Amino acid sequence: MKGLCVSIAALAFALPLASCGVDDDYSGLRDGDCWHVGNRADRIYCATTYTQLLAHPERYDGRRIQIQGRAVAKDVIEIYPSLDSFEGNEIQASLSLRSGEGVPELRAYLLSPKRVDSASRVVVMGVFHLNRTVPVGKRQGVTLETIRLGTLELDEFKL
């Protein structure tokens, strides 16, 4: 009898929650690929994971995205999905940051002696451009820039 009372109480609590709907104007999860975040009307980002970006780069091509990765400053600033990816030199999974408002500041940080890691954890926000020069599955034996997943026009970053 005690178990039945607990079950009825749990059901009575769960039913009102299950009936709660999400307003169609809500700017949260959309099409299962991102959360819309941002504090400015002209800069709303599709916050997603690097894994989703690697799995479906065409979904994000030309969109403002926010992802977390590992950044290192070389000729260009490179973003990798993880420290292991950077250490394994997985260029095909990397993004290059060539332009944007945050590039000089991020480069200065990455080249500073304050850094602890060889590739610093960073959240980057900007417009993603898929590298379409060579199809994703056929990137063997070509230059580094044609191997990269794409570029990001950096708007801002968080350490």
Side-chain angles (χ1 to χ4, degrees):
M1 186 67 157
K2 186 177 183 180
L4 180 61
C5 289
V6 172
S7 297
I8 291 173
L11 186 60
F13 179 73
L15 279 177
L17 290 178
S19 66
C20 292
V22 175
D23 189 348
D24 289 340
D25 293 333
Y26 179 70
S27 63
L29 193 61
R30 180 179 180 190
D31 299 328
D33 61 352
C34 63
W35 285 96
H36 295 277
V37 297
N39 291 327
R40 292 176 44 181
D42 62 334
R43 289 200 181 159
I44 300 297
Y45 299 99
C46 169
T48 191
T49 64
Y50 214 120
T51 303
Q52 284 296 318
L53 182 64
L54 289 169
H56 306 285
E58 64 286 343
R59 284 187 191 169
Y60 304 97
D61 191 21
R63 292 175 73 180
R64 287 191 186 279
I65 64 167
Q66 173 182 303
I67 58 169
Q68 176 180 308
R70 292 291 184 144
V72 61
K74 296 182 179 178
D75 295 337
V76 297
I77 296 174
E78 298 172 346
I79 306 292
Y80 289 86
S82 66
L83 190 55
D84 286 340
S85 178
F86 164 68
E87 290 173 348
N89 202 27
E90 295 175 350
I91 304 282
Q92 73 279 5
S94 70
L95 299 176
S96 63
L97 304 183
R98 297 191 166 278
S99 61
E101 299 171 14
V103 171
E105 186 180 349
L106 181 56
R107 178 178 292 285
Y109 171 76
L110 293 172
L111 295 174
S112 77
K114 296 178 190 176
R115 286 186 348 152
V116 177
D117 295 330
S118 54
S120 298
R121 182 197 162 279
V122 65
V123 176
V124 291
M125 293 153 273
V127 180
F128 170 68
H129 298 284
L130 177 60
N131 182 357
R132 294 186 181 273
T133 56
V134 180
V136 175
K138 311 246 187 252
R139 294 189 179 180
Q140 295 83 18
V142 292
T143 67
L144 289 182
E145 286 309 306
T146 57
I147 293 174
R148 287 190 204 288
L149 181 64
T151 59
L152 190 75
E153 292 176 42
L154 188 66
D155 291 334
E156 53 188 303
F157 68 93
K158 298 176 189 174
L159 299 174

